[in-house]
Amino acid sequence: MLKDYEFWFVVGSQLLYGSEVLDTVKERAEEMAVRLSGASDIPCRIVYKATIKNDNECIEVMKQANMDERCAGVITWCHTFSPSKMWIHGLNLLQKPWCHFATQYNRKIPNLEIDMDFMNLNQAAHGDREHGFIGTRMRKNHKIVVGYWEDETVQKELGDWMRSAVGAAYSRKLKVVRFGDNMRDVAVTEGDKVEAAIKFGWTVDYWPVGHLVETMGGVTEAEIDAKIEEYKERYEFATEDQDAVRYQAKEELAIRKIMEREGAMAFSNNFQDLYGMEQLPGLASQNIMADGMGYGGEGDWKVAAMTTIMKQMGEGLEGGSAFMEDYTYDLEPGKEVSLGAHMLEVCPSVAAEKPRIEVHPLGIGDRQPPARLVFEGKPGKGIVVSVIDMGGRMRMIVQDIHCIKPILEMPNLPVARVMWEAEPDLLTGLKCWIMAGGAHHSVLSTQVTAQMMEDWADIMGIEFIHITKETTIESMKQQLFLNDLAWKLQ
Ligand code: MN
């Protein structure tokens, strides 16, 4: 939960100006922290912590920030000038995300009253440059937000970065339960789980499907009854096959029990390994995702982890974030669109209408017809996100898209589906996506922005590729070439 985290506001100054100025700095910084915390676009509390006047104070506050579980990041600002040599040791120790907020307490220059006392107290223009230099000189990954602190656009930018920082804190504690291994022969769903633990903090452990089946055996009829009531509240029943729905409820309850026991917020499974199960979990997986957890099909633990991280980052925002798969295109010239879906498991957070529970046979997997949620995606601006293992480094690819109402009815398609136009256009975007190595699995989000993902990738220290309306094949080719060189040097 975003509310579980806070951000520390640490203000730069020095002893040169005397105690009166320092008292004013503290007072105003406290006021700014309180008012920012109350702003609608600021998702977590901002707490004023210290005015830094020397090396030791900086070291002390950064050490505390590292140790404090609630602290998801540090926001710094220089009300006065603050010599940056005294920030070096503290910033060197800082392990939490850092944002340099280049702002000013007053919006306007009081032209008639301005004197040198005012200049000494209000010299963010001076202080923030010295502060900026040391961040750059130290090659310290950090966010820079610039603008007047009471402006909505500035608060939105700061708030969005805070969401990325919480995503990073959440990622570092994330556990993914893998039921079964990756799908046989598939390459892009694979990856180095040790590298993922080092870079992202993920624990990605395997649990036998037999253990899941055994846990299903312990689910009671009363638990299933309660789950069916929940389904009735959330979804429309469009099937007479109660047994199929009850079986999904049993699967869901068992998956949740294991996840809860392990403290996991994401899971993957594989239709090739359903040993002892009658149905591929469809409705079960979808209803788990509806509560903020992540899922990846075919053993894709990377997309499972990213799904829950993005849900966490987007908490409370309009729209949704869903595990997605590119399926098929409509290639009418000039109007090209992509149709995304999955065998069953698309998260209802992106649904345009109340999802329907339906039961249909499944062409693959060799099991009973599974119950699943069927719906159309809601139109709106969005992104698709893919994380791939390049061998030696992780790469995130983000593409800007626009979800649309499907151009025609698809009465015979028994799965949830989302249709979208892509930037800069479907075919150019597709070529760039393929050149960058983007997967067929992605997280589609209409609540998290590309900027938030870029900030998250920066905090995690991974490569970031963004396909936008400005992207050309040439620019992408050059960026990929230069990135390859740059990352080889690291
Ligand atoms: Mn798939």
Side-chain angles (χ1 to χ4, degrees), residues 242-267:
Q242 295 301 318
D243 289 347
V245 180
R246 289 184 74 83
Y247 193 80
Q248 289 284 330
K250 188 195 272 195
E251 289 178 327
E252 179 184 335
L253 287 156
I255 294 167
R256 280 185 191 260
K257 279 181 190 191
I258 294 170
M259 288 176 73
E260 256 169 54
R261 188 194 67 206
E262 296 303 314
M265 284 300 285
F267 75 105

Side-chain angles (χ1 to χ4, degrees), residues 182-234:
N182 292 57
M183 183 178 167
R184 283 186 285 277
D185 296 323
V186 177
V188 79
T189 56
E190 282 288 357
D192 181 342
K193 296 191 279 292
V194 176
E195 182 70 10
I198 294 168
K199 277 285 172 199
F200 301 130
W202 304 345
T203 302
V204 189
D205 278 338
Y206 168 87
W207 288 91
V209 176
H211 176 57
L212 176 56
V213 172
E214 191 182 72
T215 309
M216 283 170 61
V219 171
T220 66
E221 290 300 308
E223 286 174 308
I224 295 173
D225 290 342
K227 185 55 72 181
I228 296 292
E229 287 308 308
E230 181 185 308
Y231 291 163
K232 281 181 184 160
E233 267 172 43
R234 291 183 170 187

